[in-house]
Amino acid sequence: MTAEIKFMWARLNANYWFYPALFSLVAAALALTMVYLDRHGFAEYLSDVQWLVPARPKGAADMLTIMAGSMIGVASTVFSITIAAVAYASGNYGPRLLTNFMEDRGNQLSLATFIGSFVYALIVLRAVRAEDETPAVTAGSALPGFTPQLSLLVAYGLLALCIAVLVFFLNHVPSSIRINKVLKGIGTRLLEMIRDTFPVEDSFAEAKPQVRGKVLTSWGTGYVQMIDYQDLVDLARKCDATFSLRVRTGDFVHRDLPLLEISGCDPSDIEQRVRECFSLGSTRTPEQDPQFLIDELVEIGLRALSPGINDPFTAITALHWLGAATSEIGRRDLRRAICKDGEDECPVIPSPDNFEHYVKRGFGAIRSGVASSPIAAEVMLQTLSNAATPIADRARQEELRKEGIRLARQVELSLSGPDLERFQAQHEAFLKTFWD
């Protein structure tokens, strides 16, 4: 599979319409199956169940009509509530978070359940026949007095499920837009991506140095949304070549910008096959891009610290998750896991991202906003110290210490009086945590 196909499948699961469409097809198949079973006598045993009163055609038709109408009405309400929540979240937390809410499985599955139940009720309703109904075509094609008893029982079950899903949805929506819940979702996903991307722990190797070669340039314009590393590895081994990537997932490229360097093979011979391993698009996505999630935490923190919002406690929560992610990165081998037989022999060398790069991407990007808030500045110092504590590598600890020094220089330009004096005392204590 090429990167385009893999990315299409990944985004297909993230689209808001995917699960409703899938549930509609499943509901249609279920309805046709239940009607078939009813027509062939598989529901006759239900007449022996004394507590189950059989439905008449008129009652069955009324019940299915009400169910279909109410389900499509609830589905419309669910969609409206979701859009309102998405508009609120993107306006307050940043437009890049729109993807997170559209990918929310709770919202997708709730809407899918209501639409699937609507489709089921509509198809079963078509099979109900009154006792005095005139055949539409021939006598053999109509079913006078036919009431699909088994199908109705399933409809009652779906109705109970929809009530439970509605209660869940009404609780889920306000919970999902709480800022602590939003930050937890981003932070948890970031930690999982770091562990998947850099699986080797307690090793402090930096990214593998690149090999110079002939440059293969970009053919289009947009963000690198996905790179099919496995296909690149197979192609490089087949050609006995080494590929050194000049871009990473999330970078913006346009025509004739360097995409990668190829050593040991003529790029013109494999140009088309290499380009099929890259997917370009108009927006960045979280797939293969931990920096995208870091940027989301930074954006929320900077928005919270802006004068118009002035919410330092939201920024503090963002700093805590940044600290956890930075500490996780600092304890890992930063050679991206591409080849199963070891990175030393891997013919594909990703664009190097060392520990300093991730520190600057997170704490370095939010530093200027933090420096203007006394409480956020103190928390950032504590977060840097906590992030350095589990890291055994002195060079990476030193990078966090330098970030604390850079923060102190920024704070001196933003704070004054008792706030500055208090921070300076905290900074002296911070520096001592790095001394032998």
Side-chain angles (χ1 to χ4, degrees):
M1 294 175 65
T2 64
E4 292 286 351
I5 298 176
K6 290 182 177 180
F7 179 76
M8 183 183 301
W9 176 248
R11 301 316 302 165
L12 184 65
N13 285 273
N15 282 326
Y16 201 61
W17 54 263
F18 177 74
Y19 282 101
L22 180 62
F23 276 40
S24 297
L25 294 176
V26 172
L30 178 63
L32 294 173
T33 301
M34 291 297 103
V35 171
Y36 174 84
L37 295 177
D38 277 310
R39 289 181 61 183
H40 289 78
F42 287 91
E44 291 181 357
Y45 72 93
L46 294 177
S47 59
D48 298 330
V49 181
Q50 296 182 357
W51 59 268
L52 185 62
V53 180
R56 302 298 296 170
K58 179 66 167 61
D62 291 344
M63 192 275 287
L64 291 171
T65 301
I66 293 173
M67 178 179 175
S70 60
M71 287 304 102
I72 198 64
V74 172
S76 301
T77 304
V78 165
F79 182 76
S80 301
I81 293 174
T82 302
I83 295 302
V86 166
Y88 168 82
S90 61
N92 285 272
Y93 309 146
R96 269 153 293 279
L97 288 176
L98 180 64
T99 302
N100 300 52
F101 289 97
M102 296 302 291
E103 291 180 357
D104 187 275
R105 287 288 183 265
N107 296 339
Q108 291 179 342
L109 294 177
S110 296
L111 180 62
T113 302
F114 297 127
I115 292 180
S117 299
F118 163 75
V119 172
Y120 178 88
L122 209 60
I123 293 177
V124 174
L125 178 62
R126 182 180 179 274
V128 178
R129 294 291 185 271
E131 295 177 354
D132 57 348
E133 185 171 351
T134 303
V137 181
T138 63
S141 63
L143 295 172
F146 175 66
T147 305
Q149 304 291 343
L150 187 59
S151 301
L152 284 175
L153 283 181
V154 175
Y156 278 116
L158 288 176
L159 193 59
L161 175 63
C162 288
I163 294 174
V165 170
L166 180 60
V167 174
F168 160 79
F169 177 79
L170 295 177
N171 174 75
H172 175 73
V173 170
S175 175
S176 66
I177 62 176
R178 291 175 54 197
I179 187 59
N180 287 344
K181 184 73 174 291
V182 172
L183 288 169
K184 178 186 176 182
I186 298 172
T188 302
R189 187 172 183 178
L190 175 58
L191 292 174
E192 292 175 354
M193 185 175 292
I194 290 170
R195 296 181 184 118
D196 292 339
T197 306
F198 310 115
V200 180
E201 194 172 1
D202 297 326
S203 176
F204 308 104
E206 299 291 348
K208 185 178 178 181
Q210 296 191 310
V211 177
R212 294 298 178 186
K214 297 180 180 179
V215 176
L216 179 63
T217 59
S218 172
W219 71 99
T221 301
Y223 291 97
V224 180
Q225 295 179 321
M226 183 171 285
I227 302 174
D228 194 334
Y229 289 106
Q230 189 56 53
D231 280 1
L232 283 176
V233 170
D234 295 340
L235 183 58
R237 285 178 172 166
K238 183 177 180 180
C239 301
D240 194 21
T242 300
F243 296 166
S244 297
L245 275 63
R246 296 283 296 274
V247 297
R248 63 179 67 86
T249 309
D251 286 350
F252 186 84
V253 298
H254 54 76
R255 284 185 56 196
D256 297 331
L257 274 185
L259 201 62
L260 74 164
E261 296 186 37
I262 300 177
S263 175
C265 180
D266 188 353
S268 60
D269 295 338
I270 55 174
E271 179 177 355
Q272 184 59 34
R273 296 180 61 186
V274 169
R275 287 177 173 173
E276 289 177 353
C277 297
F278 292 82
S279 174
L280 303 182
S282 59
T283 58
R284 292 175 61 189
T285 59
E287 282 79 16
Q288 294 186 343
D289 187 8
Q291 295 169 120
F292 179 81
L293 299 173
I294 293 175
D295 291 345
E296 285 187 334
L297 292 175
V298 170
E299 180 180 12
I300 292 175
L302 289 176
R303 278 175 170 263
L305 291 169
S306 64
I309 298 178
N310 192 24
D311 180 12
F313 294 99
T314 293
I316 288 172
T317 306
L319 285 171
H320 288 158
W321 284 106
L322 274 177
T326 304
S327 181
E328 194 71 35
I329 293 172
R331 289 179 285 179
R332 295 183 176 272
D333 187 332
L334 295 184
R335 293 173 294 181
R336 183 183 287 267
I338 296 177
C339 297
K340 297 180 181 179
D341 53 355
E343 300 308 308
D344 292 333
E345 304 298 329
C346 190
V348 176
I349 305 174
S351 180
D353 293 327
N354 55 20
F355 184 66
E356 179 184 1
H357 166 82
Y358 287 104
V359 173
K360 289 182 178 179
R361 192 82 182 212
F363 288 113
I366 203 174
R367 185 197 317 128
S368 60
V370 170
S372 61
S373 171
I375 185 172
E378 293 180 17
V379 169
M380 180 168 168
L381 278 183
Q382 184 63 45
T383 303
L384 288 169
S385 177
N386 292 340
T389 300
I391 301 176
D393 184 68
R394 296 305 298 269
R396 295 183 179 182
Q397 286 185 340
E398 178 65 15
E399 187 58 41
L400 292 174
R401 188 185 74 88
K402 290 179 179 179
E403 184 58 39
I405 294 175
R406 287 189 285 266
L407 174 63
R409 293 174 58 190
Q410 192 80 32
V411 167
E412 290 176 357
L413 301 175
S414 303
L415 300 182
S416 60
D419 289 336
L420 179 59
E421 294 173 0
R422 179 180 174 84
F423 175 82
Q424 289 174 338
Q426 295 286 339
H427 185 248
E428 292 179 3
F430 166 80
L431 293 177
K432 291 180 181 179
T433 62
F434 291 87
W435 292 349
D436 292 330

